[in-house]
Amino acid sequence: MLFRRILTYRLALYYLAAILIAALGLSAAELVHQSILNLAFSAIVSLCVCLGVNWAFAYVFGADSNWESVAISAIIITLIITPVAPSDLAGVGFLGLVCAWAMASKYLIAIHKKHVFNPACFGAVLVGIGLHRDVSWWVGDNALLLPVILLGGVLILSRLRYFEMVAGFAVVVLGIAIAEGNLASIAGVVRSLSGMGIHSMFCFFGMVMLSEPRTTPLGRGQRVVYGALVGLLFSPFTHIGTYYFTPESALVCGNLFTFFANKRRMKRWMEKLGMTAARA
Amino acid sequence: MLSQAKTHESLTGKLLLSTALVAVTVGYGWWQHNQMSRQQAAAIAAMQVRAAPAPAQPQAQSQAMAAAAPQTATPATDANVAQSAAPGESAAPAPRGSSNPAAKSTALAMAAPSPNSAPAAPAAQPKTPGETVLLPATPPAPIPPLALTGMDAIRAFIPTEGVSPPLPPVTSTPDPGATPPIPAGTHLEDGDYESDKVTFEWGDLRTRILVTGGKITTVQIMSYPDHRSQSLYLIQLADPILTSEVIKSQQSKVDVVSSATNTSIAFQDAIAGAIIKATR
């Protein structure tokens, strides 16, 4: 009953906070190789930058902002960018810029007051391309964090009823991993599955990033296609020419699919464009 | 994210804030570019200083450099240094197992320790028997990308497959009593052996071992996944630990490095392949 009364945003915030606290605990126990000081510093920087930039944009755009959404983005960015030391100015700058652009994207790239892209991924892609740096998704390759990620993920998915979307994503990603791996033996298949399923950002990405309600298609069928499309681009083997997708760029492409797949939103957007053109 | 419009919505504010964000991003990018250019220039200058007396004192070459090409004692010439130092050339594929002296010299020059190769430097020094290697490792400082301009910068922006130079070879002393896991009645024949390509989720990995006196004395990672910066980070993290562990234990089955699980397993397979090739 209590679970049903908690708002989805708040539930997601508790979930991510639990992952962050677990990561801090494991860092303190030296079970993950990130320094606890760096992790705490990154979390504070992310939170401060996200809250500050969000407040500024909300002010000039005359909008109400949801602090829980801001905190969610800040924690996600903390969990996907390798924690930086206070003395690493380049790293701190990168972290701050990703946070700033993530918040800015909620206002600058919004159609009908709804952001088009997952903020954290958009910030990571934009700053990553501009400054030639990738985010590390360090939270992914820590099997000890997996129980927290899975348990909270199941709660979020049961609230949002997005199981079929994540299933579509999982089938495509794991299917490609198996097909590209060693098919000659059971051990080879198991290794492909464990390599992708346990020792990569697969679970975190599927449970946390993919299931953001604002950037997910409305219909069940579209959600399955969305999950499968992101899974296809997420797969390490997928590339266009010499360009290999990163998880964040895969999700941004999926967000574009969501935008174009929403006929009602597209129609309103086209009408608005037409009105603007007529005025001009 | 956005909801009801309020009275303080301001077009000037929007423009100012967006411009400020762009300006900060561009400023950070410019600063980072300058930092990298300075580091690169310092590294090249240091390499030139080290390489200059080499023709006069060929016997003074480092152990690592000698191990990289046991059959060809080609002294490093200015031309070779220039080849490795030129920014545009460092991305050129180094021929695997090539007998071309010039190509080998390029690999030698790259194998020479530089201020930028901080993660590999400690492992390149022989470890005393019985010394323990702590896992997980301290994350290595990222090697700054080359400062490129013009078409070189455009080419470098496009990810390419398998063009990164081999990692520096690691030479160490095996633990007393450590024996290779080979069938009774066989032995490892002295020589230089390169494994077949091992394909895993994030790309291909190939290693090389140097057998001296029936023991593995040098291990080098010849090619590795380099499509994404995260892959490069992980290989830098795992390389010093894995290579020194193989030499100490004379086994391919060494401890997996935390956060680089898939890379470690692929490395184990590649070393096992090279050991099989060396077994007579």
Side-chain angles (χ1 to χ4, degrees):
Chain A
M1 283 296 111
L2 178 66
F3 170 65
R4 289 188 182 178
R5 273 186 285 176
I6 300 174
L7 295 172
T8 306
Y9 264 122
R10 194 154 294 172
L11 186 65
L13 179 60
Y14 292 160
Y15 170 40
L16 287 164
I19 297 175
L20 182 61
I21 290 167
L24 284 166
L26 291 173
S27 299
E30 297 188 348
L31 292 172
V32 296
H33 73 260
Q34 309 297 347
S35 147
I36 184 172
L37 288 176
N38 293 356
L39 183 51
F41 176 73
S42 288
I44 291 167
V45 169
S46 301
L47 209 54
C48 291
V49 174
C50 284
L51 285 170
V53 173
N54 182 70
W55 175 83
F57 272 96
Y59 185 82
V60 298
F61 275 77
D64 286 333
S65 67
N66 178 353
W67 73 270
E68 286 156 339
S69 163
V70 178
I72 287 170
S73 297
I75 297 177
I76 288 175
I77 291 169
T78 306
L79 293 174
I80 65 174
I81 292 181
T82 305
V84 293
S87 57
D88 178 10
L89 290 181
V92 174
F94 177 67
L95 177 68
L97 284 174
V98 170
C99 291
W101 279 107
M103 292 301 104
S105 75
K106 291 184 175 187
Y107 299 88
L108 296 176
I109 310 176
I111 309 289
H112 294 294
K113 299 183 177 178
K114 281 186 179 176
H115 56 262
V116 176
F117 298 111
N118 180 302
C121 279
F122 180 81
V125 168
L126 188 73
V127 181
I129 288 175
L131 302 177
H132 214 148
R133 292 177 77 146
D134 286 345
V135 296
S136 68
W137 296 89
W138 64 270
V139 71
D141 190 11
N142 283 296
L144 290 171
L145 285 172
L146 210 53
V148 185
I149 293 172
L150 286 176
L151 186 65
V154 169
L155 286 178
I156 293 280
L157 293 182
S158 62
R159 163 64 65 86
L160 295 169
R161 300 176 194 278
Y162 282 172
F163 282 111
E164 70 281 345
M165 181 181 72
V166 176
F169 169 76
V171 165
V172 171
V173 173
L174 297 178
I176 294 175
I178 292 170
E180 293 282 347
N182 180 10
L183 285 169
S185 67
I186 297 289
V189 173
V190 170
R191 192 167 139 178
S192 297
L193 285 175
S194 68
M196 180 53 71
I198 299 173
H199 301 294
S200 78
M201 68 294 281
F202 167 78
C203 286
F204 182 81
F205 188 90
M207 298 285 185
V208 178
M209 308 305 291
L210 198 62
S211 60
E212 201 224 351
R214 296 266 180 175
T215 53
T216 305
L218 296 174
R220 177 173 284 190
Q222 283 189 0
R223 279 202 292 269
V224 174
V225 174
Y226 171 73
L229 174 70
V230 175
L232 178 68
L233 301 178
F234 172 90
S235 173
F237 304 100
T238 306
H239 59 99
I240 296 175
T242 54
Y243 180 75
Y244 283 76
F245 285 89
T246 55
E248 60 272 19
S249 59
L251 191 62
V252 166
C253 292
N255 294 159
L256 279 176
F257 166 81
T258 301
F259 177 72
F260 288 113
N262 187 336
K263 289 177 185 168
R264 196 172 151 198
R265 206 172 176 187
M266 272 293 289
K267 192 178 169 187
R268 287 170 65 190
W269 186 55
M270 296 299 282
E271 283 172 3
K272 192 176 177 184
L273 278 182
M275 283 166 64
T276 311
R279 264 193 235 124
Chain B
M1 186 63 223
L2 305 182
S3 57
Q4 291 178 332
K6 289 183 179 175
T7 50
H8 53 66
E9 184 174 358
S10 151
L11 181 63
T12 314
K14 288 177 191 177
L15 287 174
L16 278 175
L17 195 56
S18 307
T19 310
L21 188 54
V22 171
V24 169
T25 308
V26 171
Y28 172 83
W30 177 81
W31 172 75
Q32 197 185 32
H33 177 83
N34 279 358
Q35 289 280 103
M36 286 176 184
S37 300
R38 270 201 292 272
Q39 287 175 3
Q40 193 64 33
I44 291 169
M47 285 173 72
Q48 284 170 337
V49 166
R50 265 198 297 275
Q57 299 170 337
Q59 69 278 12
Q61 287 184 349
S62 72
Q63 191 181 2
M65 291 174 76
Q71 290 92 5
T72 56
T74 311
T77 63
D78 287 342
N80 295 332
V81 172
Q83 195 175 357
S84 69
E89 290 295 321
S90 69
R96 317 286 187 227
S98 167
S99 59
N100 177 1
K104 284 223 167 190
S105 298
T106 307
L108 284 175
M110 288 181 171
S114 73
N116 281 350
S117 58
Q125 294 166 357
K127 292 184 181 300
T128 55
E131 184 183 346
T132 54
V133 176
L134 296 175
L135 302 179
T138 305
I143 294 177
L146 298 171
L148 304 176
T149 53
M151 280 307 291
D152 286 338
I154 294 168
R155 278 191 218 104
F157 179 75
I158 301 168
T160 46
E161 188 169 5
V163 298
S164 293
L167 294 178
V170 174
T171 303
S172 184
T173 313
D175 276 351
T179 52
I182 52 176
T186 61
H187 67 283
L188 294 187
E189 191 164 279
D190 288 1
D192 197 357
Y193 302 94
E194 192 168 314
S195 73
D196 292 331
K197 180 178 73 179
V198 173
T199 300
F200 66 114
E201 280 81 355
W202 307 100
D204 300 331
L205 192 139
R206 195 193 299 268
T207 61
R208 166 185 163 271
I209 61 171
L210 180 68
V211 178
T212 312
K215 295 279 179 83
I216 302 167
T217 53
T218 299
V219 176
Q220 185 177 18
I221 294 178
M222 301 299 289
S223 62
Y224 45 89
D226 58 357
H227 311 138
R228 303 168 178 85
S229 62
Q230 174 66 358
S231 299
L232 293 171
Y233 167 80
L234 289 178
I235 200 76
Q236 288 165 31
L237 175 80
D239 170 53
I241 299 169
L242 293 173
T243 47
S244 59
E245 280 292 305
V246 164
I247 298 170
K248 274 175 68 178
S249 66
Q250 297 289 302
Q251 309 261 343
S252 61
K253 195 84 177 168
V254 291
D255 285 343
V256 165
V257 175
S258 168
S259 298
T261 313
N262 291 332
T263 306
S264 303
I265 293 170
F267 175 84
Q268 291 173 7
D269 288 353
I271 291 291
I275 290 176
I276 289 169
K277 283 187 176 180
T279 305
R280 296 287 185 275

